[in-house]
Amino acid sequence: MSGTNAASGAAPCRFAHYFVICGIDTETGLEPDELAALYQWLEADRQGRDPDTAAAGENFEQSPLKRTFKSKVLAHYPENVEWNPFDQDAVNMLCMPKGLSFRTQADSREPQFHSFLITREDGSRTYGFVHTFYEEVTSPQICSAMQTLYQMHQAENPSSATPSSSSSSSSSMDSLASSLDEADSPSSSSCRSAACGGYDASRDTLYVSKALCLITPMPFMHACRRFLSQVHRAVAAAAPPPLPLESYVHNILYEVPLPPPGRSLKFHGVYEPIVCQRPGPGELPLADFPLGQTFTLLGVENLVQLFNCTLLEMQILLYSQDYQRLMTVAEGITTLLFPFQWQHVYVPILPASLLHFLDAPVPYLMGLQSKEGTDRSKLELPQEANLCFVDIDNHCIELPEDFPQFPNKPELIQELSEVLLRYGISPVGGAPPTSVPTSTTTPGSVSTRHPGLKSQQALRELEDDGRNGNLGGEQLAVLDLLQGNATLERLQALAKRTGVRVEALRGVGGEGEAQGGRTAVEEEELRNAKLNVQLREVFASRFTTMFADYEAFVIQSAPDLESWLTNREQMHNFDKASFLSDQPEPYLPFLSHFIETQMFATFIDNKIMSQWEEKEPLLRVFDGRINKARLYNVRAPSLRSSNYQRCTILKESAQAIEQRLLKIDHTAIHPHLLDMKIGQGKYEQGFFPKLQSDVLSVGPTNNNRWSNRTATAQRRKDRHRQQTEHLTLDNDLKEYMQEARSLGKNLRQPKLSDLSPAVIAQTNWKFVEGLLKECRMKTKRMLVEKMGREAVELGHGEANITGLEENTLIASLCDLLERIWSHGLQVKQGKSALWSHLLHYQAREEKLEQQQQQAESPVSNGPERRKSESSIGMPSLRASVIQDMRHIQSMGAIKTDVGRARAWIRLSLEKKLLSQHLKQLLSRQALTKKLYKRYAFLRCEEEKEQFLFHLLSLNTVDYFCFTSVFTTIMIPYRAVIIPIKKLSNAMTTSNPWVCVSGELGDSGVRQITKNVLEMTFDSAFRPHTHIDAMFKCQNLGKLTTVQLGHDNSGLLAKWLVDCVMVRNEITGHTYKFPCGRWLGKGVDDGSLERVLIGELALPNADEDCGRGCRTPDMQHSPGQTRRSSITSMGGRGYKPTSAQIQEAIGEAVNIICKHFHKPEKERGSLTILLCGEVGLVGALEQFFHNGFKSARLFQKTVFVWDFVEKAVAYMESADQMGDMQETAEPLGLTCVSLCHYVSAINSSPRNIGKDGKFQLLVCLGARDRLLIQWLPLLVECPVIQRMYEESALLRDRTTVNALIAVLQTLHDFPITLEASLVKGIDL
């Protein structure tokens, strides 16, 4: 049709796309709302009742005036717009989310204003602005139908004539969906008690709601509200408007263009001109919803927390009685995200029929209308573990547990508070809830609802309603008069008491002149616009500071767009590790989470695509600001510091807006008479006329002057369409786009038109597929990152993960599991769906266990796995779901279900049992069926199997995500001391003790009672004895050393120990501390105490089959030969060559250097690198042992420490005789230091033996940077000739100099020694 084409040609650049009228269709009459019936069906299904019987039949319990009836789109102009096809169902549902509502003359009938938006599949948005008013019902059929319904209601509920019961009449629609905004209902003082909530056709006048709506491509909220309110005023006024209404509607649809960027536009409503403005290309994008109101409603502190949750892509549910408040807060919070954009489900007003969307296991931002008097506790939400619940009317928010805070939060709050105070807004927030007019407009009637209202509070409430557009007639006039005038305020209170009406002083100036010739409304709009932009600039400047250098870390590796799109999933687009390493420490917890979000990924994708396409507008503005900041700062160091930088452009940004609004750039054509048929659309006061569609469906033909302006936009849209068509050709690409652009993107706004149970099932199927894809991507990312890191420790590649990043990925896995367990729940119990399921499982299994009374193999453990460790003597550790739950339940520090669930996931992941535990949990199918609906993820067999398989892949890497996070809990440890096998060597009469040390502390000395000696038999029935001790202490972290000793008492005081095994009884991690030496006086090196260095024991094949393979041990490459220390028992016959010894020293020093080049939190234990089997001490021992004359015939074995002691004795005697007087001053001091250290080690109360003393000397020398000074002294000492052969490495000057050069490199690092190594040494 030609009209449509004319309309659509200029559509992209028109101010408004559609004018819509919704209301009652008098031809079809009263129809119950299908959506209400569907909601009842969903509710019944949720509660486990038969949905079909629940939704059948009328609901006569409710008064018909409180029931929901079907509204319809009565007309919309034009018929269609090419760029923005008209979605009748969606528009109808969002214009009248509660359907039609009826009133009588006894009820309040103030007009209401609200806005909505529709998100299209390509992510673009369309805005709707709705003015709802009440129109008298003239159809006798509808009046009689209402009368009949009311009589049937009375027959069903005889008691409903009394007001108390009618207000509390039960409704199957619970708090989530109200068919009537109770706030609009009449108060008891203003209606006759006999007829309260009732209707009598002979006595009462019936009114029904009607909605006028403008649908626009951009959110010009103030302009649309003023236009619609003027149109309604023209209908309600006694005199007809200057022109037929068609002229004004035709004008705004076809003759008012969008203001060009950076310009302002004036167009004409029915009575007054309306001005709107659009930001320029370098400014923040348009945002017309009053941010000041959002801050007033929530307070700065709450709003910053909500902003943080939005950035971290949590589930956000807004809750308010007022639709406009929902929209204002939702739009307010999303405009603050600049330069990022919310990528997930975004439905600021969720109609009752879409409540199943709250079950969505994806991030969402949704608004839910509350019913007055509804208790928040009765609101059953499917999942709350990751939910931020915003109760707008009560000015409070409920936050998820455990999320990082936004950087510099206190300073940000301070700066925002100062901006608000400049505009007279309290930063604390908590504006009183909307006070809906409680009386009719009859003079003299007094509201009894708030008996003691202070005048100031009354004004605040009026202002609040004014901003919402919910004031009409008299009150708006009052507000205009009252603003900022205390005297007039008191006069108004007096006038109200005496029944005098106050009208606005509408004289020559139209709406009452304010300063500078502007009206009060224009002043308010200007103030809002300035406040909006200043608040947004404060947030934008935070991102400009935080991401000033982001471009340097973008990885642009593809030659063209097509190859980039094809390989998008395999590519790393952003160097996260390097970016984080460049940030100030306090920012890291937040940034490490934020750079994992979809909004950040999309931002980086847009940056990469800007090489080949026009820059996305937000990105263009952001990049422009960063470049400008660089010009001024020349990359000032302050950009990298965590000092707070205030926004410097607040004044300019407000001035730009003020100038545009003061100096109008463009004026649209005035409304004019159209070529209309005479005699149609007769004016009748109070009734909206039927408009002539033929003049409104065709725009003027001279719109070519706009076409050039839209050419660029059209080209961009064409390119986008071609790109999406190109993508649909290739299924892999299509699948990629769904994943990479977030699985929730095609669900950004649920389809509002067809809401049959089949469509709901289809939606849930999309959720199931999406969850599985997300699980696959998350586990893959965790594996790639972790493997990357372990590969580095084995000497390959570069590290690209930090502990912080790892923790972020695990937290994100916990969140995913919570969302999977929340999907399709029958009845929600507690905040964590996973923990709730585990508790059900525990109760059931413990009950079965009691019934069967089988102590040997309790049923609760399913296929119980016995852990037979790689050594004899360590008793098996029972591993079961229930056992791990009991560990978590005994942790007093964790107070909430969400916390317990996360701890349990971390523990299972660390034990490599996560997949196995969840498989065990889900194997109880009867329980799963009882807890979950048929469409739930956990009841989709194939997807569930794939999900468990993806989790199983995590067993290939080592995590310490439980041990490293819960550092303060008490953990039981088991220590087993295993003697060398000959029975006589294994017996001891002395009193042994152990002290276990880890990265987080030590256990203290634990005495072991003598009677714990146990005998076990191996597979060949050979007896073995060992000492087994249990103790409990605060989490030690990864274990590093064990001090083992005894008091040398009794006849059998000598003791030959093979090793000590220590196991963390919660995580099952077992550490082996090799010894292979004697403890006792007069044997070996005379040691009564040894410091043993341990490492994580590899599980053997029996145990490992239960949980898949694992990576090699983290401390050494599998290819390295394990070098034992020369002084160890096994090594005495082994003589390494000179080259091997030098290589070993070089490698030991190299490993220590690498250790210090890692981020501090990633370093692990330095003790193992110094004293472990391939550590520096062992390598230097080999160096000192080379050519050492240790074994003497018929004499005691001589140790390296004997050589050191003799050298020191020589130096001391030479010093006393004065031989060293002539030596250079530094050498003399070095000599003194060596003597001092050796003397301190010898006088220590510890009996650590000669090898232990040498180890201690090397460690102290490395710490205090003295080793390279001591070596020349030992080499020069004449004692060396007696104790070393000619060929010894220590007597070769060249080799010693090379050794000194190698050790010199350690001086760059601050070596700190564990307390267990240096205990008792007094220097």
Side-chain angles (χ1 to χ4, degrees), residues 1227-1247:
L1227 198 61
L1229 287 174
T1230 304
C1231 189
V1232 170
S1233 74
L1234 177 60
C1235 298
H1236 175 56
Y1237 274 67
V1238 170
S1239 160
I1241 290 170
N1242 275 331
S1243 56
S1244 157
R1246 296 168 66 186
N1247 292 299

Side-chain angles (χ1 to χ4, degrees), residues 419-493:
V419 173
L420 289 167
L421 287 168
R422 283 202 289 274
Y423 286 85
I425 293 175
S426 161
V428 179
T434 305
S435 157
V436 173
T438 53
S439 63
T440 58
T441 50
T442 324
S445 66
V446 180
S447 161
T448 55
R449 193 158 164 187
H450 299 289
L453 270 185
K454 293 190 182 77
S455 55
Q456 194 178 358
Q457 186 182 350
L459 172 63
R460 279 214 309 274
E461 293 187 354
L462 279 169
E463 284 177 328
D464 214 28
D465 273 353
R467 277 194 289 270
N468 278 343
N470 291 342
L471 288 189
E474 183 187 351
Q475 271 129 339
L476 199 56
V478 169
L479 177 61
D480 285 356
L481 272 173
L482 291 189
Q483 226 120 26
N485 192 322
T487 318
L488 281 175
E489 190 187 317
R490 287 197 294 275
L491 278 174
Q492 156 63 12

Side-chain angles (χ1 to χ4, degrees), residues 97 122 208 297 376 605 718 747 769 780 804 953 1004 1079 1182 1235:
D122 65 353
V208 66
L297 289 168
R376 153 76 178 103
D605 284 357
D718 285 338
L747 300 167
E769 285 184 317
K780 181 179 173 184
L804 195 71
S953 67
L1079 278 89
Q1182 289 180 352
C1235 298

Side-chain angles (χ1 to χ4, degrees), residues 922 925 937-938 940-948:
L922 296 171
Q925 291 190 344
F937 182 94
L938 297 177
C940 301
E941 288 304 315
E942 196 179 320
E943 282 69 24
K944 184 176 78 182
E945 284 302 314
Q946 289 183 51
F947 157 70
L948 292 171

Side-chain angles (χ1 to χ4, degrees), residues 225-237:
R225 189 176 81 190
R226 288 180 65 193
F227 177 82
L228 291 170
S229 106
Q230 288 185 36
V231 170
H232 175 234
R233 230 166 78 204
V235 173

Side-chain angles (χ1 to χ4, degrees), residues 138-263:
T138 51
S139 160
Q141 292 91 338
I142 287 173
C143 291
S144 65
M146 183 59 77
Q147 175 82 57
T148 310
L149 284 172
Y150 186 67
Q151 286 164 353
M152 289 164 84
H153 164 68
Q154 277 187 309
E156 289 273 330
N157 300 276
S159 63
S160 67
T162 61
S164 61
S165 69
S166 87
S167 63
S168 63
S169 66
S170 72
S171 157
S172 64
M173 309 272 282
D174 71 356
S175 59
L176 281 177
S178 137
S179 61
L180 170 81
D181 190 347
E182 292 290 343
D184 297 343
S185 66
S187 74
S188 54
S189 66
S190 63
C191 68
R192 297 165 298 236
S193 61
C196 188
Y199 172 66
D200 181 346
S202 62
R203 185 189 64 215
D204 293 322
T205 311
L206 190 64
Y207 294 88
V208 66
S209 55
K210 182 173 263 187
L212 306 177
C213 170
L214 269 183
I215 292 182
T216 65
M218 297 188 81
F220 289 107
M221 194 268 291
H222 287 100
C224 293
R225 189 176 81 190
R226 288 180 65 193
F227 177 82
L228 291 170
S229 106
Q230 288 185 36
V231 170
H232 175 234
R233 230 166 78 204
V235 173
L243 292 169
L245 286 181
E246 284 87 345
S247 296
Y248 303 106
V249 173
H250 182 276
N251 179 252
I252 199 162
L253 284 179
Y254 300 111
E255 294 168 337
V256 177
L258 280 175
R263 300 299 176 89

Side-chain angles (χ1 to χ4, degrees), residues 645-664:
Q645 288 175 288
R646 286 174 160 264
C647 180
T648 54
I649 56 168
L650 292 182
K651 204 171 261 182
E652 324 166 15
S653 56
Q655 278 169 354
I657 284 191
E658 188 162 14
Q659 281 164 4
R660 273 201 294 273
L661 286 175
L662 291 180
K663 182 186 146 291
I664 305 299

